[in-house]
Amino acid sequence: EDQVTQSPEALRLQEGESSSLNCSYTVSGLRGLFWYRQDPGKGPEFLFTLYSAGEEKEKERLKATLTKKESFLHITAPKPEDSATYLCAVQAGSNSGYALNFGKGTSLLVTP
Amino acid sequence: GAGVSQSPSNKVTEKGKDVELRCDPISGHTALYWYRQRLGQGLEFLIYFQGNSAPDKSGLPSDRFSAERTGESVSTLTIQRTQQEDSAVYLCASSFGGHGEQYFGPGTRLTVT
């Protein structure tokens, strides 16, 4: 069965303090790994898609990387506005069509 | 352009009543998905529509749940005889083709009392 595990569950950083969020996965035939940001009371906002091991993508202070077993979301010099829940999801060949299988998320709080 | 929209944003209903939730996908997106997000849990897949193909209903938790989609536009998720465990945020997403990134609406928060 496909599994997605995110760690830590919660992370508190000071403004400017860089860190990484982890997403470990076990799937049969990875089609893609997705990162989303979710603010309270809102739907997930798409950030990145990664398709193969070794791939990296960047957007402002965020950088996502992928290996055969896990993905990292690196946050460089975070600002308070980066506070949100970050969700990781996989799209696999073995599950329901193109449905995404989500982890439970990492809740990030960045304090001034 | 306009994103995915959902209505209502909030719905409070009594146990045993039926509810209908609506989703308007991004124009031109052929694929539409429904997910459920219960408190403290990850998003759970419910159902997937792709063009005129038969929907993938494998995520629906019981036969009280059903969904329809008109062509490549609006979708309605219906929950019959609601139970307290149905309380959750119901999220709709659409994508250009099944393999593309999915864009989510703001969700409908359903509370069953």
Side-chain angles (χ1 to χ4, degrees):
Chain A
E1 184 179 325
D2 300 339
Q3 273 199 312
V4 181
T5 305
Q6 292 190 246
S7 62
E9 288 185 13
L11 181 62
R12 183 181 179 123
L13 299 173
Q14 288 222 313
E15 185 171 3
E17 180 187 1
S18 301
S19 188
S20 297
L21 312 182
N22 178 263
C23 172
S24 298
Y25 64 93
T26 53
V27 296
S28 299
L30 180 71
R31 280 188 175 138
L33 185 141
F34 299 77
W35 282 98
Y36 286 85
R37 167 191 172 129
Q38 187 173 28
D39 293 293
K42 296 190 176 181
E45 175 190 345
F46 171 75
L47 293 174
F48 303 109
T49 310
L50 300 167
Y51 293 103
S52 57
E55 190 174 0
E56 299 182 350
K57 287 194 177 171
E58 286 188 69
K59 179 181 179 180
E60 297 181 353
R61 295 177 293 281
L62 300 177
K63 178 180 177 180
T65 62
L66 181 66
T67 72
K68 289 186 178 179
K69 293 183 179 180
E70 58 192 349
S71 177
F72 291 94
L73 185 65
H74 307 279
I75 304 177
T76 302
K79 298 182 177 182
E81 53 261 41
D82 295 323
S83 298
T85 296
Y86 290 84
L87 302 173
C88 170
V90 297
Q91 191 178 62
S94 65
N95 73 357
S96 305
Y98 293 98
L100 296 179
N101 186 353
F102 281 86
K104 292 186 178 181
T106 293
S107 177
L108 173 66
L109 176 65
V110 182
T111 58
Chain B
V4 177
S5 61
Q6 293 185 246
S7 61
S9 55
N10 281 284
K11 176 73 176 179
V12 180
T13 190
E14 291 181 353
K15 178 181 172 180
K17 300 281 189 185
D18 297 353
V19 294
E20 281 192 356
L21 312 180
R22 177 186 168 109
C23 172
D24 283 274
I26 292 171
S27 178
H29 278 191
T30 58
L32 185 147
Y33 309 77
W34 285 97
Y35 293 87
R36 175 171 72 176
Q37 188 172 33
R38 289 192 277 196
L39 196 62
Q41 303 297 314
L43 276 75
E44 303 170 73
F45 165 72
L46 297 177
I47 189 169
Y48 160 63
F49 295 90
Q50 171 62 47
N52 294 320
S53 302
D56 178 351
K57 305 179 182 179
S58 59
L60 295 178
S62 77
D63 58 9
R64 296 186 295 105
F65 288 72
S66 63
E68 293 183 346
R69 186 181 186 193
T70 308
E72 293 185 352
S73 61
V74 171
S75 176
T76 302
L77 177 69
T78 302
I79 309 173
Q80 295 179 309
R81 305 182 302 282
T82 51
Q83 304 294 312
Q84 287 188 329
E85 62 262 28
D86 298 334
S87 295
V89 176
Y90 289 82
L91 291 157
C92 175
S94 69
S95 67
F96 184 68
H99 59 281
E101 51 265 19
Q102 297 176 21
Y103 293 90
F104 283 81
T108 293
R109 180 174 297 278
L110 176 65
T111 303
V112 182
T113 61

